[in-house]
Amino acid sequence: MAEVPSSRIITIGGYDHINSVVLGGKNPVALQTMWKDSLSASDITGSSGSAALERIEGLAGLGCRLLRFAVPDLDAADVLGELAAKTAMPLVADIHFDYKIALRCLDYPIAKIRINPGNIGKKERVIMVLEKAAARRVPIRIGVNAGSLPADLRKKVEAGAITRAEALVTAAERELEIFDEMNFRDVLVSMKASSIRDTLVANRLLASRTDVPLHIGVTEAGPLIPGVVRNAVAMHTLLAEGIGATIRVSLSDTMEQEIIAGREILNAAADTEGGETVNLGVTIVSCPRCGRNSFDTHGFTEKWQNYLYSLDKNITVAIMGCVVNGPGESRHADIGITGAGNKVLIFRRGEVIRTIDASEADDAFREELQKLL
Ligand code: SF4
């Protein structure tokens, strides 16, 4: 397999109040997700506005570094622009069909624009967007989707003249030519398909031909379990080959689940390579539970998961159902909790430090956790 050249480095955000995210080269792979609902003016004012900002903060706490929004019209561009003025999270405007929406977004502190070459229209329009983005130093992602290929490429795929992966790469390269002509360097590419194979072939091919950083992921990947499996297989394969500067795990589930899935994929990829796990905070180990359990590991894990993942601390937390495999199997855990008959034990590195009733489990766990933070 041809060696993948190191990708160029691109900085997103980093001006005014907006966090900076550096992508490409040897920089950490950045996690992102996409807002799942339409955004209206009422969503960013009053208590709704606070709720939206709180949710964005929660996503940042989980490890989200970029947050994308669909921008279907000019009103949505204005709403997103106002939201961008209120948060440190770099916001990405996702634009299909109408270049004027991209131009409007660039009037605001939007950190990145995503355009779809399959439907953004004529070259002159793309050039207008590039000129304004260059003036404002806003990077652009060329986001090619197998489901919305340019018409001529779609027909070639249907006729069997080229593969879907070749069509994805050709669509991206056509657009990249315009960027090169304009000497617009702050560009990323994504080529997404619901097929793992097409995703792999397309990304490998483009990565062997360009130093443009790639945003990788499998699109329309399905609900939580199939979606995580498909994305994990594709991302792990590509990341192991040095391909991928940023990832999004597309799921028919919440944004929080997408981020948690993404960080677990990154940690697993690092673990497989024999390296250090990525500095992404808490690692949760929890038992699947069986007939020996005397502690509701599922309920406890669900209740604590998002809080634990939001902690900026590299620790391992074990949540176990019984003493058979509790402190012993989780000896490496910085803190753990397990059932033990009609009691609950809290342990640290295999040593039991508290024995409590189940009704006290949350409070005692919180107290002991605080001592590690
Ligand atoms: S820790 Fe105990 S309850 Fe959990 S799976 Fe293992 S044996 Fe079963």
Side-chain angles (χ1 to χ4, degrees), residues 129-269:
V129 174
L130 295 193
E131 283 172 343
K132 191 162 179 179
R136 291 166 191 269
R137 307 194 63 178
V138 172
I140 293 181
R141 168 161 68 94
I142 300 168
V144 190
N145 270 14
S148 54
L149 286 166
D152 63 318
L153 295 175
R154 179 170 40 81
K155 283 182 192 144
K156 281 188 181 173
V157 173
E158 284 163 3
I162 56 173
T163 65
R164 186 166 276 105
E166 286 166 339
L168 286 165
V169 173
T170 304
E173 287 184 330
R174 276 183 189 168
E175 210 71 5
L176 279 173
E177 262 179 41
I178 306 174
F179 283 62
D180 283 345
E181 278 172 30
M182 299 285 296
N183 198 25
F184 189 102
R185 301 271 303 161
D186 288 340
V187 56
L188 296 101
V189 167
S190 65
M191 294 163 295
K192 295 196 185 177
S194 56
S195 147
I196 296 172
R197 183 172 168 74
D198 288 342
T199 304
L200 296 182
V201 174
N203 280 282
R204 281 172 175 154
L205 187 56
L206 192 64
S208 69
R209 294 184 184 175
T210 175
D211 71 342
V212 169
L214 299 180
H215 161 137
I216 59 173
V218 176
T219 194
E220 291 134 22
L224 186 63
I225 293 174
V228 169
V229 171
R230 288 176 196 153
N231 272 286
V233 169
M235 288 173 180
H236 174 67
T237 306
L238 291 171
L239 292 169
E241 294 171 18
I243 300 170
T246 176
I247 63 170
R248 182 211 173 179
V249 182
S250 300
L251 299 174
S252 302
D253 210 302
T254 64
M255 295 182 286
E256 288 77 8
Q257 295 285 48
E258 290 194 359
I259 293 299
I260 291 168
R263 60 188 277 171
E264 290 297 337
I265 290 169
L266 293 183
N267 271 331

Side-chain angles (χ1 to χ4, degrees), residues 286-295 297 319-327 329-330 338-339:
S286 60
C287 86
R289 207 172 73 194
C290 72
R292 277 185 289 269
N293 93 86
S294 59
F295 182 58
T297 54
I319 301 168
M320 310 298 279
C322 75
V323 282
V324 171
N325 291 323
E329 271 208 2
S330 315
T338 182

Side-chain angles (χ1 to χ4, degrees), residues 2-13:
E3 194 171 327
V4 174
S6 181
S7 67
R8 72 179 72 155
I9 292 172
I10 289 177
T11 301
I12 296 169

